[in-house]
Amino acid sequence: MASGEREYFTLDDFKLQGSTVFLRVDVNSPMNPVTGEIIGTTRFHSHLDTIRKLSDSKVVILAHQSRPGKEDFTSLREHARIFESLLDRNVDFVDSLFGDYVTSKVKKMRSGEIMMLENTRFYSEEVNIDGKDLAAMEQSNLVRKLVPLMNYFVNDAFPAIHRPQTTLVGFQRLVPNIAGELINREISSLSSFMGGDMRPKIAILAGAKINESISVASSFLKNGTIDRILTGGVVANAFLWAKGIEIGKRNQEFIVKNNKNYRELIDVCRDLINRYPESVMLPTDAVLYPSKQRLIVGESVPDDQVMADIGVDTIVEYIDTISRAQAIFMNGPMGMYEFEDFSVGTFEVVRAIARNKGLKIAGGGHTLSVLEHLNLMSKISHASTGGGALISYLSGEEMPVLEALKASKKFFAGKYHG
Ligand code: 3PG
């Protein structure tokens, strides 16, 4: 679609030279739990086109890392350093998001300079304002302090397009909101997967974010978009639990602790298994952590063990299904792949996808880190930077960031001529 036909502004619609552009990116990345080091730079790479296109502007980068309460909820100092080395340009990190110091620093910027501000989610006004209450966002200190500093707001945070948070949607009526290069690229690639009639079309839904995965599983099966779903990780555990199969105390506690609505989620899984018994594939064996022993699914899981990877029988069955598919979507790892002893399932599934000759879409920070680690990124048709965002988008939900971009274009159309 030509830029003029899009429902949102793109970078080609404006001359941004000399302007102060606030750029919202998503470099939320997995971290090594022991060293705190960022694992993989895929999401950083995904924004380089946009940043380079803004090389004559004063660019202030906004981003988040993780969520309050999580171990990897850290400062963005290291993220700024990674951008600096990938761009081979100075990136000035300021350990605050708004206030007098930020204001004076931004006002002193010159064209061609880049600054990165602190983790937006360190601030309650980012995470606690009701996503539907745009007026409350506009009244927040965060927005009131930052808006006078910006001429334009460029949103390139595709992995967060499903989050109605203040630095993602709160500026839409105050300055023109423009879609960055990544958001544009993602939207056009993903529509080819959804629209194409290649069969069998399969989805591998795994990892720990079960809320999103179960909702997309439901939508895929009900709409007939996908023929088979291969489950792994915590997603598989939720389906096994729904089927009345023992998953062990610790696996069960993980689901309960991380999902307030876990009862509802298990009910949805049960309903899907009953309605589409042939379409939902579940692991038949697993590898236990920390003992490294193989367990046949259905056997009793000791209280001190967790199912940390899919077992060898499941791997063989999944590889066979993958080899016969014409289109594949993968989101999330099969287990605790960060630990070598529990990486086999994830790595073998990813290698099987790489060998397949059909259309292959991969998404999620962990999935992309694995592709990068195995040097298989070039074998994938489209590596989406979205995790939960991607699957919400694929299941047809409304995306607050896309809605904000569209609303902003409507609001500012005619007022700007580039
Ligand atoms: C992601 O990594 O999927 C996005 O940054 C959104 O993160 P969230 O699920 O913590 O909102």
Side-chain angles (χ1 to χ4, degrees):
M1 200 189 327
S3 167
E5 295 162 24
R6 290 196 194 277
E7 292 174 280
Y8 44 79
F9 288 131
T10 68
L11 289 172
D12 296 329
D13 293 326
F14 297 90
K15 288 197 185 84
L16 300 171
Q17 191 177 7
S19 302
T20 304
V21 176
F22 273 60
L23 169 63
R24 181 60 160 91
V25 299
D26 191 329
V27 283
N28 184 18
S29 304
M31 294 180 116
N32 180 314
V34 181
T35 62
E37 191 192 342
I38 293 172
I39 307 169
T41 53
T42 314
R43 282 192 173 171
F44 292 83
H45 279 276
S46 73
H47 293 296
L48 297 183
D49 286 354
T50 303
I51 300 177
R52 289 192 179 120
K53 222 166 165 169
L54 294 170
S55 60
D56 294 332
S57 307
K58 302 163 200 173
V59 178
V60 182
I61 302 178
L62 301 173
H64 69 275
Q65 168 65 37
S66 193
R67 300 175 185 188
K70 301 254 174 181
E71 254 182 27
D72 56 352
F73 185 47
T74 60
S75 164
L76 298 185
R77 188 177 293 279
E78 179 68 6
H79 300 65
R81 203 196 56 72
I82 292 176
F83 267 136
E84 197 162 55
S85 89
L86 293 178
L87 290 161
D88 199 18
R89 285 169 63 187
N90 186 49
V91 176
D92 191 9
F93 175 71
V94 173
D95 66 349
S96 174
L97 181 61
F98 60 90
D100 292 349
Y101 186 63
V102 171
T103 300
S104 78
K105 291 283 284 183
V106 174
K107 282 189 170 164
K108 283 187 203 132
M109 284 177 86
R110 291 198 299 226
S111 296
E113 290 185 345
I114 306 174
M115 180 184 294
M116 185 159 194
L117 302 180
E118 187 51 287
N119 189 343
T120 58
R121 290 188 179 172
F122 279 4
Y123 299 82
S124 60
E125 288 178 336
E126 171 76 331
V127 280
N128 290 343
I129 299 179
D130 174 3
K132 291 194 177 66
D133 196 346
L134 191 52
M137 286 184 187
E138 290 171 352
Q139 286 306 312
S140 67
N141 276 313
L142 194 173
V143 170
R144 285 191 296 139
K145 293 278 187 192
L146 292 187
V147 163
L149 303 176
M150 59 177 93
N151 300 114
Y152 298 94
F153 174 68
V154 173
N155 201 332
D156 211 22
F158 179 79
I161 55 166
H162 58 325
R163 301 290 184 223
Q165 296 183 336
T166 306
T167 65
L168 290 158
V169 301
F171 307 119
Q172 58 184 277
R173 296 195 291 209
L174 306 172
V175 290
N177 285 204
I178 305 167
E181 299 289 281
L182 174 67
I183 286 192
N184 258 334
R185 206 166 47 235
E186 291 271 9
I187 300 296
S188 35
S189 304
L190 295 174
S191 51
S192 63
F193 178 79
M194 292 298 276
D197 56 2
M198 314 72 86
R199 297 286 168 174
K201 204 186 266 190
I202 65 169
I204 298 155
L205 299 177
K209 291 183 181 174
I210 65 169
N211 219 334
E212 283 113 346
S213 294
I214 292 168
S215 120
V216 79
S218 179
S219 162
F220 277 166
L221 292 170
K222 286 177 186 163
N223 297 332
T225 320
I226 291 286
D227 302 299
R228 291 204 117 180
I229 290 177
L230 285 61
T231 62
V234 188
V235 179
N237 293 343
F239 276 100
L240 290 170
W241 182 359
K243 231 182 150 185
I245 293 170
E246 189 193 320
I247 59 169
K249 188 167 165 261
R250 286 175 63 186
N251 285 114
Q252 202 158 339
E253 277 171 3
F254 183 90
I255 293 175
V256 172
K257 190 173 154 227
N258 290 287
N259 302 281
K260 281 193 193 118
N261 60 340
Y262 75 93
R263 284 200 180 87
E264 205 182 295
L265 292 175
I266 300 298
D267 285 346
V268 174
C269 292
R270 190 174 301 113
D271 179 55
L272 292 177
I273 294 168
N274 290 338
R275 288 168 68 183
Y276 309 99
E278 301 300 318
S279 302
V280 182
M281 293 181 74
L282 301 173
T284 52
D285 57 349
V287 184
L288 295 176
Y289 169 90
S291 70
K292 300 180 201 165
Q293 274 169 1
R294 178 166 173 251
L295 172 112
I296 303 297
V297 168
E299 286 174 0
S300 176
V301 181
D303 280 355
D304 60 343
Q305 303 287 315
V306 287
M307 292 198 278
D309 195 8
I310 53 173
V312 65
D313 286 357
T314 311
I315 293 175
V316 170
E317 208 189 352
Y318 281 11
I319 288 178
D320 180 54
T321 306
I322 290 166
S323 72
R324 285 181 283 108
Q326 297 287 320
I328 304 168
F329 167 64
M330 173 172 187
N331 187 89
M334 290 288 140
M336 293 161 53
Y337 73 96
E338 299 92 333
F339 300 94
E340 203 184 338
D341 291 322
F342 306 96
S343 63
V344 182
T346 301
F347 287 4
E348 289 310 313
V349 162
V350 166
R351 287 189 181 111
I353 295 171
R355 287 193 296 273
N356 181 290
K357 300 279 178 252
L359 178 66
K360 297 162 285 187
I361 307 272
H366 291 281
T367 309
L368 300 198
S369 294
V370 172
L371 282 162
E372 200 179 341
H373 174 77
L374 298 176
N375 211 11
L376 291 174
M377 201 63 101
S378 63
K379 305 282 182 197
I380 298 296
S381 322
H382 176 64
S384 174
T385 53
L390 172 66
I391 53 183
S392 302
Y393 176 83
L394 293 177
S395 60
E397 286 167 26
E398 192 167 274
M399 301 285 105
V401 166
L402 289 185
E403 295 311 312
L405 286 166
K406 290 180 200 170
S408 192
K409 178 162 182 177
K410 278 197 188 130
F411 195 78
F412 288 101
K415 293 182 189 158
Y416 283 80
H417 304 286

